[in-house]
Amino acid sequence: MVKITRVLHIVTTMNRGGLETMLMNYYRYIDHTKVQFDFLVHRDFESDYDKEILSLGGKIYHLPRLNPLSINYRKQLNKFFKEHKEYQIIHVHQDCLSSIALKYAKKNDIPIRIAHAHSTSQDKNIKYLVKSFFMRSIPRYATYLFACGSEAGDWMFRGNNYTILNNAIDIKTFIYSTNIRNEIRNRFNITENEIVIGHVGRFNYPKNHEFLIDIFNEIHKLVSNSKLMLVGTGNLQNLIKEKVKRFGLEDDVLLLGSRSDVNELMQAMDILVFPSRYEGLPVTLIEAQASGLPIIKSNNIPEQCVITPNVYSLSLNDNVQKWSQKILETYKNYQRNDTSSYIKDAGFDIEGNAKWLENLYLGEVKKL
């Protein structure tokens, strides 16, 4: 009987975010008779993907919230690795603070230690200097460096060699379908002549929802039959709800929360708007392009995510009038069709990428 290689992914939670969705895409397509994923999470509540992880044969372990300055946290992390000698591979997704798990994994003789960069910056708050300090030591403790794109890898690993692991998706589930589009729009009482502007992402500082609401407010003044569909949750969600209410847009902004049917919701949208302050390489933009959506994004988002001819960039220094004009102009001139071949040709199909990652894990273990 072939021994299964168990890979420990170290994350914050397994809620529906870009990083977590990317991991689940790979997990679903990995050969589970050869490789299994387990997860070390840093929250004590049940996450969106937990039930699916358990159904696929994965294990979920819990540690307290990561505090890089906490002696107690480090003791618990060290204790975890001492008690779980079965792992030969850890794959860490904690951005700047990944060095802490990597350091204690090395201390406990885990031979294959992967750090994975998913972003191109950090919030410039009081924690920034601490995070920057810990980020510098990631290459010292990692045996492999992965990044979602070159801008994320360059930013996090500062001149060290890294490998790009694509934020691959299951393309066939996103292919444009008029039947699904009509079904979803009917479900939300959206008529065919209404414009649906979409966004999928956490309600947090990088995603810049407050500017998105300003843009939609301007659009709605110009085109009253417009809707804004927001998918996701996050710590800024209540602030955004308050802003929507202040503008009197409660009937026109759909706050859908965390959803498992993003692929279908995208069929109902007419255009995706993504005014992020910074990103790694958003899975959402790959998904949106696979579904045939045109996209207006900020030029802070790496151009590596541009696969179809239907993606346009604007500066966050441009005013809401310019953003609104570009959105409406793009909507008016766009004919939606099947763009899935672009995504496959660009190397973002999950099947091939999952096989590559599986072979890497198994190949590294074989060398031991």
Side-chain angles (χ1 to χ4, degrees):
M1 185 177 178
V2 178
K3 183 181 178 182
I4 297 174
T5 296
R6 302 196 78 93
V7 179
L8 183 69
H9 288 274
I10 302 179
V11 297
T12 301
T13 74
M14 284 304 292
N15 279 330
R16 293 184 195 280
L19 181 166
E20 298 84 358
T21 297
M22 179 278 292
L23 275 178
M24 292 305 295
N25 287 341
Y26 277 89
Y27 189 17
R28 294 177 190 118
Y29 276 87
I30 288 278
D31 184 344
H32 298 152
T33 66
K34 298 178 181 178
V35 176
Q36 258 294 349
F37 285 5
D38 297 331
F39 297 85
L40 178 60
V41 303
H42 287 75
R43 298 292 186 272
D44 58 4
F45 52 78
E46 181 178 326
S47 298
D48 295 332
Y49 285 123
D50 283 7
K51 285 186 173 65
E52 183 178 0
I53 289 167
L54 296 173
S55 74
L56 292 172
K59 300 175 183 177
I60 302 170
Y61 305 99
H62 295 266
L63 279 184
R65 186 182 294 259
L66 169 57
N67 178 350
L69 305 179
S70 167
I71 294 173
N72 181 56
Y73 172 77
R74 289 168 179 263
K75 284 181 177 177
Q76 290 195 54
L77 181 63
N78 191 52
K79 181 173 180 282
F80 176 87
F81 286 131
K82 280 185 176 180
E83 292 175 351
H84 292 277
K85 296 294 186 182
E86 68 270 28
Y87 293 108
Q88 296 177 301
I89 306 175
I90 66 161
H91 193 149
V92 189
H93 308 271
Q94 294 179 301
D95 277 336
C96 298
L97 299 179
S98 295
S99 60
I100 298 166
L102 292 164
K103 177 181 179 179
Y104 282 90
K106 183 177 182 180
K107 180 180 177 182
N108 284 277
D109 300 317
I110 294 176
I112 303 161
R113 303 178 299 276
I114 302 169
H116 200 140
H118 294 277
S119 186
T120 59
S121 187
Q122 280 286 316
D123 298 357
K124 302 297 192 296
N125 56 25
I126 195 168
K127 299 177 183 178
Y128 182 74
L129 290 177
V130 173
K131 289 182 177 181
S132 297
F133 171 79
F134 283 103
M135 185 175 78
R136 289 198 292 271
S137 59
I138 289 173
R140 186 191 315 165
Y141 300 115
T143 58
Y144 260 91
L145 303 176
F146 281 0
C148 62
S150 58
E151 290 191 29
D154 290 347
W155 175 73
M156 179 161 285
F157 302 133
R158 307 297 170 106
N160 291 278
N161 292 329
Y162 58 84
T163 299
I164 291 177
L165 183 66
N166 286 328
N167 283 350
I169 66 169
D170 186 356
I171 296 171
K172 63 182 179 295
T173 64
F174 287 90
I175 294 173
Y176 179 57
S177 163
T178 52
N179 289 337
I180 295 174
R181 173 184 171 84
N182 293 336
E183 179 187 332
I184 299 299
R185 289 175 78 103
N186 287 338
R187 190 183 303 168
F188 289 102
N189 297 314
I190 300 169
T191 62
E192 189 49 42
N193 68 342
E194 288 181 292
I195 304 170
V196 178
I197 296 157
H199 184 278
V200 181
R202 283 197 181 103
F203 284 75
N204 59 15
Y205 175 80
K207 298 299 184 192
N208 204 9
H209 281 82
E210 59 269 36
F211 186 53
L212 178 58
I213 300 302
D214 289 335
I215 294 167
F216 180 68
N217 186 47
E218 181 66 21
I219 288 173
H220 198 66
K221 290 175 185 175
L222 301 170
V223 183
S224 60
N225 63 332
S226 54
K227 301 282 187 185
L228 178 62
M229 183 180 286
L230 300 179
V231 183
T233 59
N235 61 327
L236 297 182
Q237 190 171 356
N238 287 335
L239 288 175
I240 297 304
K241 282 182 180 179
E242 290 171 11
K243 186 163 188 174
V244 167
K245 189 175 181 180
R246 279 202 313 273
F247 284 155
L249 296 170
E250 301 102 309
D251 294 335
D252 301 296
V253 177
L254 306 176
L255 293 153
L256 303 187
S258 178
R259 304 282 298 212
S260 60
D261 57 348
V262 169
N263 56 323
E264 295 186 345
L265 294 174
M266 283 185 172
Q267 309 294 323
M269 299 173 186
D270 293 302
I271 189 166
L272 192 90
V273 179
F274 228 69
S276 298
R277 292 182 168 98
Y278 58 84
E279 293 277 358
L281 198 150
V283 177
T284 296
L285 295 196
I286 308 302
E287 294 171 341
Q289 289 175 90
S291 71
L293 279 171
I295 296 168
I296 310 296
K297 70 175 188 68
S298 81
N299 60 9
N300 293 345
I301 300 173
E303 289 300 301
Q304 271 184 303
C305 73
V306 178
I307 300 170
T308 69
N310 313 314
V311 182
Y312 307 93
S313 297
L314 290 175
S315 169
L316 292 181
N317 293 323
D318 292 328
N319 58 31
V320 292
Q321 288 79 16
K322 185 167 183 178
W323 277 77
S324 303
Q325 181 183 355
K326 185 63 179 177
I327 291 163
L328 293 173
E329 175 188 292
T330 302
Y331 165 76
K332 182 179 178 182
N333 296 323
Y334 185 67
Q335 183 66 44
R336 193 165 181 180
N337 49 45
D338 181 355
T339 54
S340 59
S341 62
Y342 285 94
I343 314 304
K344 188 167 187 176
D345 291 346
F348 283 88
D349 186 34
I350 189 59
E351 292 186 39
N353 283 277
K355 190 65 181 176
W356 180 91
L357 183 60
E358 176 188 306
N359 288 338
L360 181 134
Y361 288 148
L362 294 174
E364 290 304 302
V365 169
K366 195 174 181 180
K367 292 176 187 176
L368 299 176

